[in-house]
Structures are given as C-alpha cells and as structure tokens.
Amino acid sequence: MLRPWLWLSAGLAVLPALLLTAAAATFLYVTGVATFGMALLALLPAAVCLPPLTVALAMAVERRPGWAGCVRRYTPGAVALLMLLTAQTVLAARGHRSSVLEWCELWSGPWGWAAQPVVHACGGTAPAWPAALALLLAATAAALAQAHRDGARLSNAELRRRASTVSAVTAGLWTMDPRVAKLAVVRAAGGGTAVRGVRLRPPRGRRAAIVWRDALALLRAPGLLGKALAWLICASATAGAAAALGGRARVFLLAVALLLGYAGVAALAETARLETDDVRRSAWSPVRLRHLMLQHAVVPATVGALLAALVAVPYAAAGSLWPLLLMPLCAPPLAAAAVSGACRGPARTDLLFTGVSTPVGDPGPLLYAFWYMAGPLAAVGSLAFVLDDALSHGPAPGTAVRVAAVPLALTAGLLFRAARSADRLVRNA
C-alpha cells in the first residue's frame, strides 16, 4: 500500500528541482560562467538524485523511531554548520579562499558529490568529478532500494499515528490556522524542543512571577534561544547588505532583515502563544489575561535586545557603533508584535470571502493576510523607514530622537492592541 506513494513522492520531488536547475543554468549562462548546455548537464545529476535521496532518508527515519531523536539532537549543529558554510561562501566571494576546506566539502557527502560536475563546468578544479558522480548515483540507488524494503515494514500503529497527524495538519490548513498545523507536527515529532532541568531562584514578589516563569521556560528550552540567534544572525547579515545600498532597494532589504528579526524574536514568545492556545490555562492566576500578556512581552523584548546587541558586535568591531543602538531598539516592537499576534484568536475565515468583485478578483485573501500579519506588518513597515532614515543621516541628534521615539510608540500601540485582543478572547471564551 505504501510503496506506490513512496515512488510517487520521489518522482514529484524531482519536479521543483528541475525548475530550479533550469533557473540556475540560466543564471550561470547570463553571468558568463558557463554555457547553458554545459551548466544544464552539470546540474541535472543534483536535480535527479538529491530529491529522491532525501525522500529515501525520510523513509529511513520513519522506519526507525530512534533516528528521529538523533535528527532532532543534531539539527542545531547542522544549522550552525550551514551558517558557517554561508560565511565561508561570502569570504570566498571576497577573495579569501581555502582550498583545503573546499576539497573537504566537495567530498563530504552527496551534496559535495553533486556539486563537483558544476564546479568542473564552471572552470573550477574538480578533476575526479566522474568518480563523485558515480558515488552519487550509487548512493541514491542504494537508498531508494532500502526505502523500498522499509516501505513494507512500517507498523499499522505508526501508520495510524501518521494518518492522525495528516488529518490534524489538513484541518489546520483548511481553517487557515498554521498554529494548529504546527502543533500537530510538533506532537507527532515527539514534543518539539528538548527540555533541560534548569533551576532559577523564584522572585520574592508575585508581580515578577510571570517574568520568572518565562525566563525559566526559556532556559529549559535552549533550542528556542538557538533558533532566535540563528534568525537574528541572518537578519544582521541582511541588514549589513542593505546598508551598502540606497533608495528602494535598501528599504526592501531592511524590511526583509526585520522580518527575519521578527522570526527570531517571535521564537522567544512561545509562552504567550501557549497561554492563548487555551485561555483556561490562565485560570490559576488572579491577574487578568491582558496583564499576563503584557508581562509575557518582557522576556522576548529583553532577550531579543541582548541577542541583537550580540549579533551587532561584528559591526562595532569594524568601527561602526551605530548598529549597536539601532538593532537592540528593534527588539521591543517586534516582541510586542509577536504577543499581539498570539492574541489574535481563532482564524477569521469570514474575511476570505467578501463578495466584492474587483478586476483582480475577491480581495478576501488579502484582507485575511493583512488581519493575520497586522502586527508584524505594522512593526516591520515602520521600522524599515526609520532604519533607512537613520542610515541616511547617521547618528545626528534629531535622528537619534526619531530612532528612539518610533520604536517606543510602536511598542505601546502594539501592546495596547494585544491587551484589547486578550479581553476579546476572554469574552468569547
């Protein structure tokens, strides 16, 4: 029953890879690195072998539950290694290359074997690319053969659990609620982030209990800190690229950097989302839900500002101290936007169908997207123009006032919206 779907999945995975191959070959041809035919032929092995190999490895993990724990355990290290490889790529583009590292990467696994024909076609040094291609084909064939055997060995209980997960994810997508789909995937994957037995001295007063609990939850789930740091490093790199540009291109890249920063800060606000998944969880507290949500914004804003200052240190070491002020100031509005999003409540599917006819169709999906992302869009849009103004005029007194005032006003407005939304959640419950 499962094997036909396995082979169908392996075949469908190749289709987007072929589209990316055509785009990459066109890029190499336009930039004059290689001819279109040579680039296409060099990229085809990667497009044909790597996606089915990925499907086969996924089947191996499904068949062996112990491997899933290893995947979760080693994923942070793999992400850190990928970021180091990205940094090495940037350094190589600027003329700082290491032939030893490049040789090790080309022979480190299927990704390197698939890259060797492309390196050869572009005029690089890869004399043993036929051997690498043979290794890639052999590894793909062996993995698919093993996946074919594993397809008959999955237990009925495991298939039922997967079917239940698929049903929950489908329900979340049909109701336009990604949070429901994400929680279903996390539960199926074994509970999500690993928990550490960390202790933190309780506060003496009740007013700091929520902040203490959020800080303790964050310390016991260091994966969230790592995820936030990874997103913020990407945001810092994107902001650095934006600073070298001007005009609309700089504003666009700053908006992208702020979206990446929002993803990092929002990862720190998981306790606020857990609080609003079921408002009955706050029944233990004598404090109203709106005040709980305001206190849930303290830890994401503080930790986000500290991490933003940390990722701004390379710019300070290079002689530019302005990012040390700009980047931490963006954390409080982004944290307030995350808390505001946590309080949005059930999906407003009624916005999807407005019955209004326009030349481009029903504007319902756009209205729904604006409702769903209203907080992040307001924060990112405003901060992008503020940062563009700060980069254009430098650390002048008037610019410093605007840079400090706008994030404060944004934070206050978004927290006010979060409080109103929390009251509405309580009324509807």
Side-chain angles (χ1 to χ4, degrees):
M1 182 182 68
L2 201 60
R3 282 170 173 170
W5 292 101
L6 169 67
W7 291 106
L8 179 62
S9 299
L12 291 177
V14 175
L15 296 180
L18 291 175
L19 294 176
L20 290 175
T21 296
T26 304
F27 175 78
L28 293 177
Y29 171 70
V30 170
T31 54
V33 178
T35 63
F36 181 79
M38 287 292 294
L40 190 62
L41 288 176
L43 288 162
L44 273 178
V48 173
C49 293
L50 292 182
L53 181 60
T54 305
V55 174
L57 291 176
M59 174 57 76
V61 174
E62 288 285 339
R63 172 69 179 83
R64 300 161 182 83
W67 286 23
C70 294
V71 170
R72 288 195 298 270
R73 192 177 308 116
Y74 295 127
T75 293
V79 172
L81 182 60
L82 182 61
M83 297 181 72
L84 289 176
L85 291 175
T86 305
Q88 182 200 347
T89 304
V90 174
L91 291 175
R94 296 185 176 183
H96 305 285
R97 298 184 62 176
S98 172
S99 57
V100 176
L101 278 178
E102 292 174 4
W103 184 88
C104 293
E105 290 156 7
L106 288 176
W107 291 102
S108 60
W111 44 86
W113 306 337
Q116 291 197 35
V118 185
V119 173
H120 176 74
C122 296
T125 304
W129 67 268
L133 185 57
L135 280 174
L136 178 64
L137 293 173
T140 304
L144 286 174
Q146 183 61 43
H148 183 78
R149 289 191 293 269
D150 289 342
R153 298 173 181 172
L154 282 176
S155 64
N156 291 336
E158 188 67 23
L159 291 176
R160 283 193 293 269
R161 281 194 293 270
R162 288 292 178 259
S164 176
T165 302
V166 170
S167 299
V169 171
T170 304
L173 294 179
W174 275 111
T175 56
M176 304 296 290
D177 195 344
R179 175 72 177 170
V180 174
K182 178 186 175 182
L183 290 177
V185 172
V186 168
R187 283 194 296 267
T193 309
V195 178
R196 301 287 186 269
V198 180
R199 293 184 178 274
L200 191 65
R201 177 180 294 181
R204 295 183 178 180
R206 293 184 301 173
R207 295 182 178 180
I210 305 302
V211 177
W212 168 78
R213 191 181 68 166
D214 288 352
L216 184 61
L218 200 56
L219 290 174
R220 289 186 173 182
L224 295 177
L225 279 173
K227 184 189 299 185
L229 183 59
W231 282 115
L232 289 173
I233 290 174
C234 296
S236 175
T238 308
L245 302 175
R248 297 179 179 177
R250 180 163 68 186
V251 175
F252 174 76
L253 273 185
L254 285 174
V256 173
L258 286 166
L259 282 174
L260 295 173
Y262 170 76
V265 176
L268 304 173
E270 183 64 23
T271 51
R273 288 187 286 272
L274 290 173
E275 199 86 70
T276 56
D277 284 340
D278 187 352
V279 295
R280 292 174 297 181
R281 289 176 178 161
S282 61
W284 63 271
S285 174
V287 183
R288 296 172 60 185
L289 182 62
R290 63 181 301 164
H291 296 129
L292 286 178
M293 301 312 296
L294 295 180
Q295 293 180 55
H296 278 311
V298 174
V299 170
T302 305
V303 177
L306 292 175
L307 293 179
L310 178 64
V311 298
V313 168
Y315 296 110
S320 179
L321 298 177
W322 197 216
L324 277 176
L325 173 64
L326 295 178
M327 295 174 69
L329 278 177
C330 296
L334 297 178
V339 173
S340 176
C343 299
R344 71 171 65 92
R348 291 279 308 274
T349 52
D350 57 295
L351 295 176
L352 290 171
F353 309 100
T354 61
V356 178
S357 179
T358 66
V360 294
D362 195 333
L366 291 177
L367 290 176
Y368 180 84
F370 179 77
W371 169 82
Y372 193 86
M373 295 291 292
L377 287 177
V380 167
S382 303
L383 289 175
F385 287 103
V386 170
L387 292 179
D388 178 61
D389 178 61
L391 292 175
S392 299
H393 296 91
T399 306
V401 171
R402 289 194 298 273
V403 166
V406 173
L408 288 175
L410 269 175
T411 304
L414 289 169
L415 288 179
F416 176 75
R417 181 176 183 269
R420 292 280 302 272
S421 300
D423 288 342
R424 185 175 63 253
L425 283 177
V426 173
R427 287 196 302 270
N428 292 341

